[in-house]
Amino acid sequence: MYAIAIIRYRRPLDEVLKVVDEHRAYLKRLIDQGLVLASGPLDPRYGGAILLRVPDDAAGATLDQIRDGDPFTQKGIAQYELLPWAPVFGKEELDRVFAPKA
């Protein structure tokens, strides 16, 4: 299952920037696990977005773990909105490009 995480900053940008390196290191680990497909800040920079692929049989629990493990969440820097997503158009292309690693 795919999901989109919308991240909204809850602190001023100067406080957010102090935690960005930890947040990005965390996302890099999730990329290595095949969970994060793409991520980045919104423009203007009031938050960010993450495109995820999570196991169908544990989607809710996995999304909760991703949110709860993020330094942004742990330090009260940002709030996640987790949106499970069932793409119709382009799903085959997403599946091809982001096939799970063997």
Side-chain angles (χ1 to χ4, degrees):
M1 165 175 280
Y2 292 95
I4 299 167
I6 303 297
I7 299 172
R8 292 184 177 87
Y9 299 151
R10 294 295 177 224
R11 301 274 189 236
L13 187 57
D14 62 323
E15 290 182 44
V16 171
L17 294 176
K18 293 176 185 176
V19 186
V20 163
D21 289 342
E22 290 177 65
H23 167 72
R24 289 182 178 169
Y26 173 70
L27 292 180
K28 174 67 172 108
R29 291 191 300 274
L30 296 178
I31 289 168
D32 293 344
Q33 295 173 34
L35 295 170
V36 168
L37 306 177
S39 68
L42 298 173
D43 185 15
R45 194 159 181 183
Y46 59 86
I50 305 171
L51 177 60
L52 302 130
R53 186 172 189 171
V54 297
D56 290 344
D57 61 343
T62 302
L63 291 171
D64 288 346
Q65 289 172 351
I66 289 169
R67 177 200 60 221
D68 296 345
D70 191 328
F72 275 0
T73 301
Q74 294 173 349
K75 296 182 180 198
I77 296 293
Q79 174 182 329
Y80 269 66
E81 181 178 0
L82 297 168
L83 306 166
W85 182 44
V88 175
F89 297 107
K91 183 179 183 310
E92 294 81 13
E93 183 67 11
L94 285 171
D95 290 346
R96 185 185 64 74
V97 171
F98 298 114
K101 298 173 184 173

